[in-house]
């Protein structure tokens, strides 16, 4: 039996540029983002930079977890999922993520 699950496409609300400032990796809003969002986003490690870049393009939650598992050679969703969710929660708390409904589609087989 084939079941289709629809996941929203997660994307950053504003355009950002990732830069090094005083040895720290920061995401600085550009274009209309610099007017709407005052401040910078600190990206403390490589995984934060990687996930932020994926969100600049737009990605579904399952795909983001899978991409992180591939990149960091993590074997289970249980290892990676909570890290991804915590990162997304921080961005969400700053109102930086938009979820576009019904964009990402994945077929699950039972």
């Amino acid at each position: 039996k084939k079941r289709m699950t629809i996941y929203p496409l997660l994307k950053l609300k504003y355009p950002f540029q990732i830069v090094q400032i005083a040895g720290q990796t920061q995401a600085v809003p550009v274009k209309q983002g610099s007017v709407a969002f005052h401040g910078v986003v600190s990206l403390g490690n490589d995984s934060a930079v990687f996930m932020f870049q994926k969100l600049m393009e737009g990605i579904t939650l399952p795909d983001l977890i899978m991409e992180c598992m591939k990149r960091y050679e993590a074997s289970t969703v249980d290892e990676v999922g909570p890290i991804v969710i915590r990162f997304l929660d921080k961005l969400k708390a700053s109102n930086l993520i938009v979820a576009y409904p019904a964009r990402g589609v994945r077929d699950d087989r039972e």
Side-chain angles (χ1 to χ4, degrees):
K1 183 180 175 187
K2 193 171 170 183
R3 177 181 93 217
M4 190 174 2
T5 305
I6 299 173
Y7 296 98
L9 183 74
L10 303 174
K11 195 164 181 173
L12 293 172
K13 196 172 194 174
Y14 311 110
F16 283 86
Q17 182 173 354
I18 296 175
V19 297
Q20 293 290 322
I21 301 173
Q24 302 277 331
T25 305
Q26 308 279 336
V28 179
V30 294
K31 299 179 185 168
Q32 78 270 24
S34 61
V35 175
F37 181 76
H38 303 287
V40 297
V41 179
S42 292
L43 302 172
N45 58 37
D46 181 70
S47 59
V49 173
F50 179 76
M51 289 187 281
F52 201 86
Q53 288 172 326
K54 292 293 180 185
L55 290 164
M56 287 168 74
E57 302 163 15
I59 192 166
T60 64
L61 176 59
D63 288 341
L64 182 57
I65 292 170
M66 294 304 281
E67 290 289 323
C68 288
M69 286 174 65
K70 279 191 266 184
R71 180 172 174 118
Y72 299 104
E73 298 176 0
S75 56
T76 69
V77 172
D78 292 340
E79 284 179 74
V80 177
I83 295 165
V84 172
I85 297 294
R86 274 195 303 276
F87 183 74
L88 292 174
D89 283 346
K90 285 179 185 174
L91 295 177
K92 202 161 109 182
S94 297
N95 196 26
L96 290 178
I97 292 184
V98 177
Y100 295 96
R103 283 287 197 65
V105 177
R106 171 178 308 252
D107 290 335
D108 296 320
R109 297 183 189 269
E110 293 180 351

